[in-house]
């Protein structure tokens, strides 16, 4: 039988772990796959670990656990879980039941029957979420998608069913700053989305403060867009070129005996210098960008198949 690995990052989830396990197993029992459930305790300060270990004792071989020395964030927890997962299919799920286990059989059916490499899930509503947060989220997707080469789908969750080789591809990206929504999009492959209505968390509260989300969004933009850096070069180049032409015109005019106001001359010189400086900054940032992509050690490409 094929093996399905379920990776579950948990941070202060003592209230949800048991509920999640019960609901999940109910669904898994109806599916024709073997399973392993990998809980990653991301430095919880409550009794999450205790709860997970109790599950593990009750179901040896089925429940596995990774315990972090402190809170490293969901990205780190997902990475550890994906590294440990041995399944032919691997999925990541929140423990708060916001990723409905009932989607799993549908996703598995889609991946098997439609020849997809990945079946993702996408929330089509954000009901129950603060309005302001939804607004910022929408702006974030608009902004990042305008500037990136890969599409980061609005509402897509980390809850996605991946075939083994897709997980290996994601793990082959060795960068330290991991923005999963970007990594998942970057590796490509044939992805189909299962759409569903937002579900509210069963218990406990969200671990994402507005500040944390803002930093997360900023990470995504910095990791996946180069446009802001090119902007500097372009504005600098255009500004200095325009001002150079203007200065030449002024020079010719004064040679022809026209009176030029010194204010115009000074302002033109300042703008010209400003343009040159911006261009310089732009050039430096282009080098920075190159250095950045070198140290990030992303693979040059990802091959799905060799046909030989
Ligand atoms: N999580 C984690 N480490 C963190 C923050 C969150 O492992 O530092 C886990 C959390 O326990 C949950 C999942 O990531 O299983 C999603 O978090 P949450 O439900 O709080 O986010 P939201 O659904 O509100 O975006
Ligand atoms: Mg949640």
């Amino acid at each position: 039988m094929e093996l399905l690995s379920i990776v579950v990052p948990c941070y202060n989830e003592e209230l949800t772990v048991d509920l999640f396990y019960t609901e999940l197993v109910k669904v898994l029992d109806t599916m024709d796959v073997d399973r392993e459930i990998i809980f990653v305790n991301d430095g919880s300060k409550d009794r999450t670990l205790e709860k997970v270990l109790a599950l593990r004792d009750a179901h040896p071989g089925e429940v596995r656990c990774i315990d972090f020395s402190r809170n490293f964030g969901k990205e780190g927890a997902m990475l550890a879980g994906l590294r440990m997962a041995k399944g032919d299919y691997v999925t990541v799920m929140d423990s708060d039941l916001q990723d409905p286990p009932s989607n799993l059989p549908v996703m598995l059916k889609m991946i098997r029957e439609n020849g997809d490499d990945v079946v993702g899930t996408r929330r089509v509503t954000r009901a129950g979420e603060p309005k302001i947060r939804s607004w910022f989220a929408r702006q974030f997707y608009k902004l990042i998608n305008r500037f990136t080469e890969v599409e980061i789908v609005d509402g897509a969750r980390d809850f996605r069913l991946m075939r083994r080789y897709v997980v290996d591809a994601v793990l082959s990206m060795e960068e330290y700053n991991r923005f999963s929504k970007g990594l998942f999009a970057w590796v490509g492959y044939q992805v189909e989305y299962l759409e569903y209505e937002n579900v509210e968390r069963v218990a406990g509260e969200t671990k994402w403060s507005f500040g944390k989300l803002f930093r997360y969004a900023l990470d995504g933009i910095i990791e996946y867009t180069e446009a802001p850096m090119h902007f500097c070069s372009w504005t600098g180049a255009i500004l200095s070129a325009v001002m150079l032409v203007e200065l030449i015109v002024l020079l010719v005019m004064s040679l022809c005996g026209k009176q030029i106001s010194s204010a115009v001359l000074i302002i033109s010189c300042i703008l010209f210098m400003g343009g040159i400086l911006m261009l310089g900054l732009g050039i430096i940032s282009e080098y920075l960008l190159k250095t950045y992509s070198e140290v990030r050690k992303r693979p040059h490409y990802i091959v799905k198949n060799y046909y030989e």
Side-chain angles (χ1 to χ4, degrees):
M1 240 193 325
E2 288 176 308
L3 177 67
L4 169 63
S5 307
I6 297 135
V7 172
V8 194
C10 298
Y11 176 52
N12 295 343
E13 298 284 3
E14 61 178 4
L15 295 175
T16 64
V17 164
D18 287 329
L19 288 169
F20 171 75
Y21 179 82
T22 318
E23 286 301 309
L24 177 68
V25 167
K26 242 188 252 168
V27 173
L28 290 176
D29 282 341
T30 67
M31 295 169 67
D32 59 339
V33 280
D34 280 331
R35 67 231 190 175
E36 59 169 1
I37 306 169
I38 303 173
F39 286 96
V40 186
N41 178 34
D42 184 13
S44 301
K45 295 177 185 74
D46 62 1
R47 295 169 51 238
T48 304
L49 181 65
E50 237 172 89
K51 297 265 177 186
V52 171
L53 292 182
L55 284 176
R56 182 171 155 275
D57 289 341
H59 312 274
E62 175 180 283
V63 175
R64 306 171 77 196
C65 174
I66 303 175
D67 184 32
F68 281 0
S69 58
R70 65 168 172 88
N71 178 245
F72 282 94
K74 189 182 174 190
E75 291 291 335
M78 278 200 290
L79 177 63
L82 290 178
R83 280 185 176 153
M84 188 191 235
K86 294 195 292 247
D88 305 292
Y89 301 102
V90 180
T91 183
V92 178
M93 293 177 85
D94 289 3
S95 66
D96 56 9
L97 289 171
Q98 279 194 299
D99 298 327
S102 57
N103 279 355
L104 273 175
V106 188
M107 290 157 80
L108 188 66
K109 188 159 179 273
M110 282 164 84
I111 212 169
R112 278 178 173 163
E113 289 178 3
N114 305 352
D116 299 321
D117 301 309
V118 179
V119 174
T121 57
R122 202 179 147 243
R123 284 193 300 189
V124 284
T125 54
R126 286 178 172 270
E129 200 184 61
K131 286 249 160 26
I132 182 92
R133 189 165 150 173
S134 309
W135 186 84
F136 272 105
R138 267 200 309 280
Q139 300 314 310
F140 163 73
Y141 284 108
K142 262 195 210 146
L143 186 72
I144 198 162
N145 280 323
R146 166 172 280 170
F147 295 122
T148 40
E149 50 187 314
V150 290
E151 201 204 344
I152 297 180
V153 177
D154 187 357
R157 308 270 306 167
D158 293 330
F159 179 30
R160 48 192 357 249
L161 188 65
M162 297 174 275
R163 285 181 185 273
R164 179 77 251 162
Y165 50 79
V166 179
V167 179
D168 293 337
V170 170
L171 293 177
S172 74
M173 322 258 297
E174 291 176 351
E175 56 211 76
Y176 183 79
N177 296 300
R178 298 182 78 83
F179 176 70
S180 287
K181 287 184 195 307
L183 295 177
F184 288 149
W186 197 90
V187 296
Y189 291 105
Q190 184 176 321
V191 185
E192 198 179 351
Y193 283 95
L194 176 66
E195 302 191 339
Y196 72 104
E197 306 265 321
N198 190 32
V199 192
E200 291 190 45
R201 167 193 254 284
V202 278
E205 47 194 54
T206 177
K207 308 298 176 300
W208 292 87
S209 62
F210 196 79
K212 228 170 156 185
L213 271 180
F214 188 76
R215 265 201 310 279
Y216 183 67
L218 210 60
D219 270 355
I221 290 170
I222 291 173
E223 300 285 310
Y224 286 88
T225 61
E226 301 183 348
M229 296 204 181
H230 298 314
F231 170 82
C232 226
S233 318
W234 279 107
T235 353
I238 293 168
L239 184 64
S240 50
V242 170
M243 292 331 288
L244 184 65
V245 172
E246 155 127 8
L247 282 173
I248 292 172
V249 171
L250 291 179
L251 185 71
V252 171
M253 279 165 71
S254 76
L255 283 180
C256 298
K258 275 242 166 70
Q259 193 73 16
I260 310 266
S261 96
S262 53
V264 170
L265 202 60
I266 291 170
I267 290 171
S268 305
C269 282
I270 291 176
L271 285 176
F272 177 64
M273 283 313 295
I276 297 281
L277 284 177
M278 269 191 97
L279 184 59
L281 266 182
I283 292 171
I284 293 177
S285 61
E286 301 286 338
Y287 278 105
L288 207 64
L289 205 63
K290 293 274 175 282
T291 319
Y292 183 48
S293 55
E294 285 299 330
V295 296
R296 197 163 40 172
K297 288 212 181 80
R298 266 190 204 167
H300 291 93
Y301 50 79
I302 283 164
V303 178
K304 180 173 170 186
N305 261 321
Y306 284 104
Y307 297 97
E308 288 175 88

